[in-house]
Amino acid sequence: MVTKALEEARKRKEIGLSLDAQVHLHLPERTCALIEPYKDDLKSIFIVSSVTIHETKDGKEVRAEVLRAEGEKCERCWNYDLSVGQHQEHRTICHRCVDAIQ
């Protein structure tokens, strides 16, 4: 489902690489509960800059919405992140990469 949504966004020229994307997963409550323990791993699994999980109101709809990622591109990991530029000494990398190199 996510791969197909990424390919469709790529065809529409909304994104280039998958890391240019943020994915919003719209899932039933039960599925959200199953995925919750893995939510921090989803961006690595889908190879995107971020993943947000939303519970559907009708409880049945399952869909992946792909949008252009927010923030600036990190020079180290290539993810788009709002934290890029916020660290005093490392303005071109995200907070996760700052933690990794310190």
Side-chain angles (χ1 to χ4, degrees), residues 21-40:
Q22 60 176 307
V23 174
H24 292 265
L25 291 176
H26 299 269
L27 305 166
E29 179 182 2
R30 186 177 202 141
T31 307
C32 287
L34 289 171
I35 288 181
E36 182 66 27
Y38 309 103
K39 70 179 182 180
D40 293 336

Side-chain angles (χ1 to χ4, degrees), residues 1 26-32 54-63:
M1 164 179 65
H26 299 269
L27 305 166
E29 179 182 2
R30 186 177 202 141
T31 307
C32 287
H54 305 277
E55 189 177 314
T56 56
K57 294 181 181 183
D58 65 6
K60 295 179 183 176
E61 181 185 17
V62 174
R63 67 184 171 94

Side-chain angles (χ1 to χ4, degrees), residues 58-74:
D58 65 6
K60 295 179 183 176
E61 181 185 17
V62 174
R63 67 184 171 94
E65 178 183 12
V66 175
L67 302 171
R68 187 125 183 95
E70 295 177 348
E72 298 294 321
K73 187 175 185 178
C74 174

Side-chain angles (χ1 to χ4, degrees), residues 7 32 46 56-57 62 69 73-75 78 80 89 94-95:
E7 285 302 319
C32 287
F46 298 135
T56 56
K57 294 181 181 183
V62 174
K73 187 175 185 178
C74 174
E75 278 187 354
W78 292 14
Y80 284 82
E89 297 172 31
C94 67
H95 65 85

Side-chain angles (χ1 to χ4, degrees), residues 69-98:
E70 295 177 348
E72 298 294 321
K73 187 175 185 178
C74 174
E75 278 187 354
R76 185 172 180 269
C77 68
W78 292 14
N79 283 289
Y80 284 82
D81 196 292
L82 295 172
S83 68
V84 174
Q86 292 182 354
H87 193 273
Q88 191 77 354
E89 297 172 31
H90 304 286
R91 295 206 174 270
T92 60
I93 60 176
C94 67
H95 65 85
R96 189 177 65 97
C97 289
V98 169

